[in-house]
Amino acid sequence: MGMTAVPGRPRDDGQFEAAAGPVASLWPANDDFAGRRRYWWGWLMGSIWLVYLAQPTAAIWHGHDLARRYIGLAILLAFGSVFVVTCGVTRRQRQRGGGLPLVTRASLTAGAVALAALALITIGQDASGVLVYLAVMMLFLFTPRAGWTLVAVILVASLALPSLIHGWQANLSFTFGILLAATAAWGVGQLIQRNVQLAAAQEEISRLVRAEERSRFGRDLHDILGHSLTVVAVKAELAGRLARTSPDRAEAEIADVERIAREALADVRAAAAGYREVTLAGELASARTALTAAGIKADLPATLAQIPPGQQEIFGWAIREGVTNVVRHSGATCCSVRIAGPEIEIADDGHGPAGPLGVIPDGSHGLAGLQERAAALRGSVSVGRSAAGGFALRVRVP
């Protein structure tokens, strides 16, 4: 309901665990305008129901002596105040996902029952309407099971009192009215609880969306910069070796470094904007450039015509990660990319995997990110030894 959160959460029995803190914490923060507005709205709704005390008020004003008149009015005023306070604080706490301490609930109940009994004694059957308010309060203050048990006691009392007190008349419609009011109060309580649960679910969904977005951006940033910076490092090293023996080739490599750096900057900006797209053809071209610059023979597919569009992006990410690892770590002389139906394999003839076959190495953020991308498509990522004795990365999607 837009109010400041406090300790407390819904319990399995439909009520709320007690929230810690003094009663003064029921008042919204000074800067919580919406909270203060809803706070007063709860008290106003409780006050509106006091209209049903008009009958006993009129009865005591016209049918009793002066002393009993003012005593009865004072009792009704006190009872109405307890009812309004109960409605206001329980509504406030339920909307905040908390609940009143048991001592507070017991005190409000005891006070309301005592005042109701005094009203019935002072005013007579005309004050029977206080039983309706008691039933509503029981369902606001206690769990559904305890609340309905107390409502049942009140219903029995409404049927028994006319037969026990001389001059009172049985009224089944009044008993039905108590049951109807209690049912309405229970429905309001359930609605408030569902709203609290819905708000909590929406907050959790928002948190998960933010976490997923951070994870996505982290994967993109790692994959983009990891690949691009690897190629830049390889080409810069090559340009340094060629600077004296072949200045023209060194100049070309430096130009490539500048181009790749600009492309990486554009990719980072696109990733930050959320619309960066990886294409299989583009990644194959980048892979050829990176492998050639590193002095590694590139054995890449000649055509992409038979690859479904839905597989091309994840295969592009696989090539980017696999080729980056080949250039960085493998010490290979040859790297091949094979695509067969729903599976792609990037293999080399280098050092081979350091850990157990089929296990993603610890600390490999790129492979972990690739595994997350594949899992989103219900696919899988595996690593192992290639046919040439090196490292093989395989990605399979349905």
Side-chain angles (χ1 to χ4, degrees):
M1 300 297 293
M3 301 177 183
T4 305
V6 296
R9 59 182 185 275
R11 297 192 320 222
D12 294 338
D13 57 13
Q15 289 296 100
F16 297 86
E17 293 184 358
V23 176
S25 66
L26 298 178
W27 179 257
N30 291 333
D31 58 349
D32 186 4
F33 175 76
R36 284 186 281 118
R37 183 176 60 185
R38 292 182 176 88
Y39 177 86
W40 285 113
W41 179 250
W43 288 75
L44 178 62
M45 290 299 294
S47 302
I48 290 175
W49 287 101
L50 295 182
V51 67
Y52 292 104
L53 290 180
Q55 180 182 354
T57 300
I60 195 173
W61 185 262
H62 297 293
H64 296 280
D65 57 63
L66 188 63
R68 293 186 64 188
R69 178 186 304 172
Y70 287 107
I71 292 174
L73 289 177
I75 293 172
L76 290 178
L77 178 61
F79 180 84
S81 300
V82 172
F83 178 78
V84 171
V85 169
T86 301
C87 290
V89 296
T90 55
R91 175 186 171 92
R92 166 71 174 169
Q93 288 300 92
R94 286 193 176 193
Q95 289 173 342
R96 294 169 61 174
L100 295 175
L102 180 59
V103 174
T104 303
R105 287 182 282 156
S107 300
L108 289 172
T109 301
V113 170
L115 290 169
L118 288 174
L120 291 172
I121 293 172
T122 304
I123 303 172
Q125 191 171 11
D126 288 329
S128 298
V130 296
L131 298 179
V132 177
Y133 293 93
L134 280 180
V136 171
M137 288 176 61
M138 296 307 99
L139 291 172
F140 274 166
L141 288 171
F142 297 100
T143 65
R145 179 178 297 179
W148 279 111
T149 300
L150 294 172
V151 168
V153 173
I154 294 171
L155 292 173
V156 171
S158 70
L159 294 172
L161 287 176
S163 62
L164 297 176
I165 301 177
H166 178 71
W168 285 31
Q169 297 181 353
N171 188 348
L172 292 178
S173 62
F174 174 69
T175 302
F176 177 75
I178 296 176
L179 179 61
L180 188 63
T183 303
W186 177 80
V188 171
Q190 293 298 303
L191 179 61
I192 293 174
Q193 178 183 337
R194 296 297 180 267
N195 287 339
V196 170
Q197 293 173 342
L198 179 60
Q202 290 174 337
E203 182 178 352
E204 178 65 12
I205 291 172
S206 298
R207 186 190 68 79
L208 292 175
V209 168
R210 291 193 299 269
E212 173 60 26
E213 183 61 18
R214 287 194 296 268
S215 177
R216 180 200 66 81
F217 184 74
R219 289 196 307 265
D220 284 1
L221 196 62
H222 173 275
D223 294 343
I224 292 166
L225 293 182
H227 176 79
S228 299
L229 293 179
T230 297
V231 177
V232 166
V234 171
K235 283 186 167 290
E237 182 182 357
L238 178 59
R241 293 200 304 265
L242 296 173
R244 294 184 179 180
T245 59
S246 181
D248 292 339
R249 286 189 58 192
E251 185 178 349
E253 294 297 335
I254 292 298
D256 270 352
V257 167
E258 181 183 1
R259 175 184 59 80
I260 294 170
R262 292 184 183 278
E263 289 176 355
L265 179 60
D267 284 344
V268 170
R269 288 172 176 169
Y275 59 81
R276 183 176 185 275
E277 181 180 0
V278 171
T279 63
L280 181 56
E283 293 306 320
L284 283 172
S286 296
R288 187 180 299 277
T289 299
L291 292 170
T292 301
I296 301 173
K297 180 182 177 182
D299 183 7
L300 307 178
T303 178
L304 305 176
Q306 298 180 349
I307 302 174
Q311 296 177 357
Q312 292 202 18
E313 182 176 359
I314 185 63
F315 284 179
W317 284 113
I319 291 173
R320 172 177 283 256
E321 178 60 26
V323 170
T324 300
N325 287 338
V326 170
V327 173
R328 278 181 174 177
H329 311 298
S330 69
T333 60
C334 180
C335 175
S336 64
V337 175
R338 294 286 182 268
I339 300 176
E343 183 175 279
I344 183 172
E345 179 186 80
I346 300 94
D348 62 65
D349 60 352
H351 303 313
L357 298 181
V359 178
I360 302 296
D362 292 336
S364 178
H365 300 291
L367 289 177
L370 181 62
Q371 193 170 41
E372 292 177 4
R373 297 179 195 276
L377 300 175
R378 293 178 297 178
S380 62
V381 176
S382 61
V383 297
R385 194 174 300 280
S386 69
F391 187 87
L393 169 65
R394 300 179 186 90
V395 176
R396 184 178 182 86
V397 293

